[in-house]
Each structure stands twice: as C-alpha cells, then as structure tokens.
Amino acid sequence: METNAQPSVPMNQQAVGTAIRRVSFLRRHRALLIALLSIFVSLFSLTMAFHAYVAWKLARPHIDPLRSNPAKAIGTPYEDVTFPGLGSGSNLSGWYIPAESGSAKASRQTVVFSHGYGGNREEIWVPLYDLAKAAHQMGFNVLMFDYGYVQPQLSVTGGIRESEELLGAVRYAKDRGADKVFVWGFSMGAGTALQAALQTRDIDGMILDSTFILEPDTLYHNMKQEANLPKFSQPLVHMFFPLLNGVSLNQIPYTKVKETQYNIPILFIHGKKDLKAPYEMAEEIFANQKANSGSELWLLPNDGHELIYKAHKKSYLQTTTGFLKALSQAKSEPVKFSQSR
C-alpha cells in the first residue's frame, strides 16, 4: 500500500533546529535585548535609590537654627541647661525658665514642651514662646529643649529614642524640685509624649496638639502629600529605614499607644483639615480613655496641622491654661495603665 507521507524528522534533529533558530533570533536582536535589560536594571536601581533617599531624608529633616531666646522673645529670665536622655545616650540642650518668685505652689510644678518633627525648642510657626509665656505667667516652671535629632550627628527615630529623651527632660524637671510635671506636645512631639507616658509615672498630665504617630498608614499619607507615590513605596521606605538609620519603624509601639488607657488627664487638640496627622487617630486614642480620666478632646472643623493656636489665640489659651489650672489643682493619685479591649 503506497503512501505520500514524508519520512519523519528525528526528535533530536527538531530540537537542534529549534535551538539554531533561537540562537539566530538572539543574534539578530542582541542589541535590542541588551538595551531593554539595561533599561530595566536602570529603572530598578533608580527606584531603589529613590526610596533609600526618602528613608534617609525622612530621618534627617532640615532644622532651622535658634533665632532668639526667652529673655529677648518674652522677657523672662532663663538658664541654658543640658541633661542626658534617659537611657538613650544622647545629651540634650534646652532652656529652663524658673517660675516667678511668690508662686510657691506652682513653682513645684513644671511644664515641659515637646516640639515636633523638623522643629526645635522654639517651634516658630506655633510659636512656643507665646505658650511658654502663658505657662510662666501662671506660675509654672517651663522647660524648652531640643530633641537629639536637632544635632547633626543624630537622626529621627519616630519616638523610639525621642521618648527616652523626653523622659530625660521629665527627670531633669523632677531633679529641679517639681512635684508635678505636665508635657505639652506638638505633632510628633505629641506622639512621642504618648510613647514616653507608657514608660513612666512621672508625667501627671499632657496637652497634645496635632498628635502625629509614625505608623505605616500615616507615613504613606505624608509621602502622598509630597508626591503621588504608589502604595508599594511604603514597604520600600520601611525596608530601607533601618538599613540607613539604625532603627526600624516597626519598633514604634503605635498599636499600644492607640489602645492604652493612660489614666492621666490628656487634652487632645486637633484640626479636621490636618493633612499630616489624620484627626481620626486623636479621636481613636481619646475614645479609649476612661470617662473619669479627666481627658478632653477639642476638635476643630477647619484647621490644619499645628496652626490652631495662630487661628484661635484667645480660645486656645483659655482652653489650655484652664486645663493646666485644673491639673495643677488636682490631687495626685497613683497611675495605673490598662489596655482597652
């Protein structure tokens, strides 16, 4: 029986033919393939380098030099002071404004100001001088100090080292004779105060303005304000941060901060148009405080980050000084922490 079928090509010959065609294709398009690979490697390298730079820059914000001092700015005597952070290894500088003579009760009480990210002890855009003057006129000692990252050799750690530095400031106030210490914090300085309050019973109350806590969602929220970055930028910055700065953002106890019932009076001040620290976080922390803790929430509908005092000077001072007065007159009780459920 006849057939027209062609004799089959052995499989090994087919494989050889396929390989020859592939080699021929690669030779013809070698330059194109190398160019595409080079572009991919370059884009990948640039993406990694960009996010490494963001992580490096995040920990090293620009800090303006001091412009004045309490004597020139608000007419109060002051002392240049230095003290160590509590376990942080950093040495901190600040101004101590003693209470006016004749205010015996209040002179045993001190207000410690905790400035925000990118600022120093003056926090000019608030400005802290005005609030220091108000506290001083009420008869409080006042401590204004710089966090360690104001020094060029140190970097921002999102409250990890800064909370120990704040504890050093509280300890300094105690060593100067304060029976009560109240922390008045701003932005990351407010978030740092919440972290510090987890570690001590020496803080008797806090005023927290525009509370900022560096958690993943807040980090991405702020990155979006600077550039329209994709969501994958957040984990990349988190990855590079410890490699370049020595600490991991995962060490920030933001979950514990948001869940803890502090049992000390806290006045939360926040604007609903805050583009750096979403006001919902302050609401959440306040909601976890016990009804009898003495804590309060002052939420303003049309104000931004750390701009509330400038927009509402009279009501801001009435609210904050009234809160301080209540704190100063309250009887001290043992502080116990608990986790809300």
Side-chain angles (χ1 to χ4, degrees):
M1 185 173 182
E2 296 182 359
T3 176
N4 295 324
Q6 298 295 323
S8 60
V9 180
M11 290 297 295
N12 62 335
Q13 292 183 15
Q14 290 181 355
V16 170
T18 300
I20 291 173
R21 287 191 296 272
R22 287 177 178 173
V23 170
S24 177
F25 175 85
L26 292 174
R27 285 176 177 174
R28 291 197 306 270
H29 298 87
R30 181 180 179 182
L32 176 62
L33 292 172
I34 292 176
L36 290 174
L37 181 59
S38 298
I39 291 172
F40 173 78
V41 172
S42 296
L43 289 175
F44 178 81
S45 299
L46 287 172
T47 299
M48 294 295 104
F50 171 75
H51 288 90
Y53 173 76
V54 171
W56 184 88
K57 189 66 177 175
L58 180 67
R60 296 164 180 82
H62 170 75
I63 309 291
D64 287 334
L66 295 173
R67 302 182 186 182
S68 187
N69 60 57
K72 293 179 181 178
I74 54 178
T76 59
Y78 73 98
E79 303 170 25
D80 289 308
V81 298
T82 59
F83 53 88
L86 201 63
S88 67
S90 49
N91 199 43
L92 309 169
S93 300
W95 295 319
Y96 184 80
I97 305 173
E100 293 180 349
S101 58
S103 52
K105 181 178 180 181
S107 66
R108 304 290 295 179
Q109 302 181 23
T110 300
V111 173
V112 176
F113 284 96
S114 175
H115 70 76
Y117 173 85
N120 56 31
R121 70 188 84 165
E122 294 178 310
E123 202 107 320
I124 291 296
W125 57 85
V126 172
L128 289 192
Y129 281 124
D130 287 5
L131 306 182
K133 182 178 181 179
H136 179 257
Q137 289 177 337
M138 292 179 68
F140 292 100
N141 306 300
V142 173
L143 178 59
M144 306 166 70
F145 76 100
D146 293 334
Y147 279 109
Y149 63 78
V150 172
Q151 306 168 28
Q153 70 271 23
L154 296 177
S155 58
V156 174
T157 66
I160 300 168
R161 188 190 64 247
E162 290 83 1
S163 61
E164 295 180 338
E165 293 172 343
L166 179 56
L167 291 175
V170 172
R171 172 50 50 196
Y172 179 82
K174 286 285 189 178
D175 289 343
R176 292 291 299 253
D179 295 325
K180 289 185 177 181
V181 178
F182 310 116
V183 175
W184 197 334
F186 299 81
S187 188
M188 188 178 289
T192 295
L194 287 168
Q195 293 184 54
L198 295 172
Q199 307 171 51
T200 185
R201 295 185 177 186
D202 286 340
I203 297 175
D204 298 280
M206 301 190 290
I207 299 174
L208 305 181
D209 186 329
S210 305
T211 302
F212 179 98
I213 300 170
L214 193 59
E215 63 174 357
D217 289 343
T218 307
L219 171 62
Y220 181 63
H221 177 82
N222 277 267
M223 289 165 57
K224 288 279 287 183
Q225 306 307 315
E226 302 299 327
N228 191 24
L229 298 175
K231 188 67 175 178
F232 70 78
S233 290
Q234 175 197 311
L236 287 178
V237 171
H238 265 254
M239 178 185 73
F240 280 114
F241 199 92
L243 298 176
L244 298 172
N245 304 312
V247 295
S248 171
L249 296 178
N250 292 328
Q251 295 173 249
I252 300 172
Y254 51 84
T255 300
K256 187 175 182 181
V257 165
K258 292 193 293 184
E259 293 179 350
T260 295
Q261 294 175 339
Y262 286 90
N263 287 355
I264 58 173
I266 305 174
L267 170 60
F268 295 92
I269 304 172
H270 220 104
K272 282 193 170 184
K273 291 190 177 179
D274 192 324
L275 298 179
K276 295 184 179 181
Y279 72 89
E280 290 88 354
M281 183 177 293
E283 282 189 316
E284 180 181 353
I285 299 172
F286 171 71
N288 285 331
Q289 306 313 304
K290 291 183 178 179
N292 63 352
S293 68
S295 294
E296 300 176 18
L297 173 64
W298 185 27
L299 197 58
L300 296 98
N302 299 308
D303 292 276
H305 194 71
E306 287 191 270
L307 299 175
I308 297 170
Y309 168 68
K310 280 191 173 180
H312 311 277
K313 289 186 178 182
K314 184 176 180 180
S315 54
Y316 189 101
L317 287 175
Q318 286 177 340
T319 301
T320 53
T321 57
F323 190 77
L324 278 177
K325 184 177 180 180
L327 291 180
S328 69
Q329 294 175 346
K331 292 183 179 180
S332 298
E333 296 180 359
V335 177
K336 296 179 181 180
F337 296 108
S338 62
Q339 295 295 110
S340 63
R341 297 180 180 180

